[in-house]
């Protein structure tokens, strides 16, 4: 496995804004990409990563929440319920956080690392990460979804009380 370079908005690379095409078949090259993405994400550290963030425009994401490792191809939300509002970050927008409203519960269908069709149910942080990563596959960044533009700020510029909030709720994905 190897660490991949994470594309950031400062790189001005259009891959972050492109709608990524579906994976045809989960073969060894896709599995290698999934493994490299997982290693890169954990090292960053982050809880989610989408293939366009490593300059590969295909529909593959990795997520690690509560020690659950997910390597998913062609993920698609088939059910969404409730709402959660919290601060969110992104490995492609380093050092920044902003408040984003997401569904609180989602059901996602996808192909796993072995190409098998799976359904993933997520609530809270896992649901947030799934929605954030699928957005990347459609060229959408969390800064497009802020509850209010004034909530976008540098992590190191936040006051003590707000940092408590971010530590409790922010997710770097
Ligand atoms: Zn992100």
């Amino acid at each position: 496995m190897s660490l991949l370079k994470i594309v950031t908005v400062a790189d001005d690379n259009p891959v972050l804004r492109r709608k990524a095409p579906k994976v045809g078949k989960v073969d060894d090259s896709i599995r290698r990409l999934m493994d490299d993405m997982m290693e890169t994400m954990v090292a960053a550290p982050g809880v989610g990563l989408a293939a366009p963030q490593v300059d590969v425009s295909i529909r593959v994401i990795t997520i690690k929440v509560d020690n659950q490792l997910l390597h998913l191809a062609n993920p698609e939300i088939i059910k969404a319920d409730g709402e959660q509002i919290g601060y969110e970050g992104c490995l492609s927008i380093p050092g920044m956080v902003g408040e984003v409203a997401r569904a609180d519960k989602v059901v996602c269908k996808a192909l796993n690392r072995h190409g098998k069709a799976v359904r993933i149910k997520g609530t809270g942080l896992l649901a947030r990460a799934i929605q954030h990563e699928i957005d990347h596959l459609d060229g959408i960044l969390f800064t497009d979804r802020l509850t209010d533009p004034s909530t976008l700020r540098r992590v190191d510029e936040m006051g003590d009380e707000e940092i408590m909030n971010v530590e409790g709720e922010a997710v770097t994905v």
Side-chain angles (χ1 to χ4, degrees):
M1 292 201 287
S2 52
L3 290 180
L4 305 171
K5 186 184 175 310
I6 296 176
V7 178
T8 72
V9 288
D11 296 325
D12 207 21
N13 183 334
V15 72
L16 291 178
R17 289 303 193 177
R18 207 173 284 151
K19 187 173 168 67
K22 281 190 171 186
V23 172
K25 186 172 186 293
V26 180
D27 57 14
D28 284 345
S29 71
I30 297 291
R31 271 186 283 279
R32 193 173 315 122
L33 173 68
M34 287 171 164
D35 291 343
D36 287 346
M37 283 173 57
M38 182 64 77
E39 190 183 10
T40 302
M41 181 192 86
V42 169
V47 301
L49 192 66
Q53 293 180 276
V54 293
D55 207 10
V56 181
S57 190
I58 57 170
R59 301 186 84 80
V60 167
I61 65 174
T62 56
I63 290 173
K64 183 183 180 190
V65 171
D66 296 334
N67 288 324
Q68 188 179 3
L69 302 178
L70 298 173
H71 308 74
L72 303 176
N74 303 340
E76 201 179 315
I77 290 169
I78 54 174
K79 196 163 184 282
D81 284 308
E83 187 185 57
Q84 55 173 318
I85 295 176
Y87 276 86
E88 192 167 308
C90 179
L91 293 174
S92 294
I93 311 175
M96 304 297 292
V97 292
E99 191 184 76
V100 181
R102 299 283 189 186
D104 190 44
K105 292 180 186 174
V106 297
V107 180
C108 165
K109 72 169 186 178
L111 300 176
N112 71 8
R113 200 176 170 284
H114 307 289
K116 183 170 175 272
V118 292
R119 284 185 185 214
I120 310 291
K121 282 185 190 174
T123 61
L125 179 57
L126 178 55
R128 181 177 288 278
I130 289 170
Q131 292 167 85
H132 179 114
E133 300 315 328
I134 291 178
D135 270 355
H136 274 301
L137 306 182
D138 293 322
I140 298 167
L141 300 174
F142 85 84
T143 45
D144 301 330
R145 293 201 184 273
L146 297 170
T147 54
D148 187 292
S150 69
T151 67
L152 183 68
R153 61 193 73 183
R154 294 205 57 83
V155 177
D156 56 17
E157 283 171 1
M158 295 188 75
D160 288 348
E161 196 178 323
E162 289 167 316
I163 283 173
M164 292 272 293
N165 188 37
V166 167
E167 284 176 349
E169 304 203 68
V171 35
T172 301
V173 283

